Amino acid sequence: MSKLFHGETLIISIFLDPDEEAPGQKLLRDEVDLILTVASKLRQLGLPATWAIKNVEDWFQHGLSDVIDEVAVLVGKSWEDRVAGRTRLAQALPERIQRIRSHGRSVSTLTTMGNLAHENLDLLIKYGIRSLCDLTNNTQGNAAHAEQIRWGLWKMPTAKLVPRRPRVRDVGNHDADAQPSIRRTAKERSISHLGVDLRQVAVSGFSGLGQTMRFFEMAARQRDRGKLACQSVAALTADLFAPRQANGSQSILRKAA
């Protein structure tokens, strides 16, 4: 695997329901309102985000596709198994991608709640997936570079999740661990991936929503100061795939008349 230096870039992934074993679960009115609130804040600040979606039809039925930038396929931990996971991936992945594309949206990002076995990566390329994101919370910081793995597939840094799940006797600023990640991204010229867990935002109420909004505002301030760039996963992947311009060398020979 190779790592590519890219520069100070922040990518944001947003997901709602990582529960793979709850088929047919419909979005509640409060969840729709929360999605619209978060999407409105992102648009107000001009921050692009990648939205990982499981129940595709439900999102499009509520018109949520119109307020989000990039749609990504969301899969759960049950896809990690090398045998059952591959069978499930081969059956469900093309169906989900086709459903998204049938609504006029492109999809080239797959977001997981755990690592996929490397034996399955060929299926991602087969169905047009170009970038892979892991939303398993990274508790050891998150400044890193994108990694190019098999067949040109790009793996983004593991996400640091916000809001942080509160612990017993946990007091103070719960989003303090996310803020240094943004600052480090700007300082070390690296790529940082932060995931917003909307289910946890809903559980935390105003506290969780406040943490999320402060995170967005901080990211926007850093961007406005020219210290980092904010991109969707698809846009960053396209940039990584773009050919690099090399400085042409000057010949020491005198040009012919």
Side-chain angles (χ1 to χ4, degrees), residues 23-252:
Q25 182 177 350
K26 298 296 182 180
L27 287 176
L28 302 176
R29 183 67 252 177
D30 290 346
E31 293 172 338
V32 174
D33 291 341
L34 177 59
I35 293 169
L36 292 174
T37 298
V38 172
S40 175
K41 184 66 172 181
L42 288 168
R43 289 204 165 186
Q44 175 191 347
L45 296 174
L47 293 175
T50 300
W51 295 71
I53 298 175
K54 188 189 75 170
N55 296 320
V56 177
E57 281 78 7
D58 206 21
W59 283 66
F60 284 100
Q61 180 182 355
H62 287 88
L64 298 175
S65 173
D66 299 332
V67 299
I68 60 182
D69 302 298
E70 180 195 355
V71 180
V73 176
L74 175 65
V75 300
K77 292 184 178 180
S78 59
W79 296 51
E80 292 182 41
D81 183 83
R82 292 174 180 268
V83 179
R86 182 175 178 85
T87 301
R88 191 169 190 175
L89 189 67
Q91 293 175 347
L93 182 59
E95 294 177 3
R96 295 190 183 186
I97 291 177
Q98 180 55 36
R99 288 173 185 171
I100 294 174
R101 291 173 178 167
S102 68
H103 290 277
R105 298 297 298 265
S106 62
V107 55
S108 61
T109 298
L110 185 139
T111 303
T112 74
M113 302 303 297
N115 292 320
L116 286 173
H118 273 238
E119 288 82 353
N120 299 334
L121 299 180
D122 62 312
L123 295 176
L124 306 188
I125 298 300
K126 178 179 179 181
Y127 297 115
I129 299 298
R130 291 293 177 264
S131 48
L132 179 64
C133 296
D134 181 7
L135 289 175
T136 304
N137 193 36
N138 181 2
T139 58
Q140 298 179 351
N142 196 31
H145 299 281
E147 294 185 355
Q148 188 176 30
I149 51 183
R150 298 182 186 180
W151 305 292
L153 183 70
W154 287 97
K155 181 179 180 181
M156 299 299 161
T158 304
K160 175 179 286 293
L161 301 184
V162 292
R164 191 179 67 182
R165 297 179 184 274
R167 297 184 297 248
V168 177
R169 297 179 181 178
D170 189 14
V171 295
N173 187 5
H174 295 321
D175 57 345
D177 56 344
Q179 294 179 3
S181 179
I182 300 176
R183 296 190 184 97
R184 186 164 52 251
T185 300
K187 182 178 180 181
E188 298 180 2
R189 294 183 57 81
S190 58
I191 297 174
S192 186
H193 180 197
L194 289 101
V196 178
D197 184 350
L198 289 185
R199 187 71 67 186
Q200 183 61 29
V201 172
V203 170
S204 304
F206 288 110
S207 173
L209 184 60
Q211 291 177 42
T212 305
M213 295 306 182
R214 287 194 297 273
F215 153 63
F216 291 157
E217 290 167 354
M218 178 182 181
R221 286 196 300 271
Q222 295 287 341
R223 178 208 57 201
D224 294 343
R225 293 169 183 169
K227 295 188 176 181
L228 59 80
C230 298
Q231 290 183 284
S232 67
V233 175
L236 174 57
T237 304
D239 193 17
L240 293 173
F241 268 117
R244 293 297 188 265
Q245 285 282 9
N247 293 327
S249 59
Q250 296 288 337
S251 173
I252 63 174

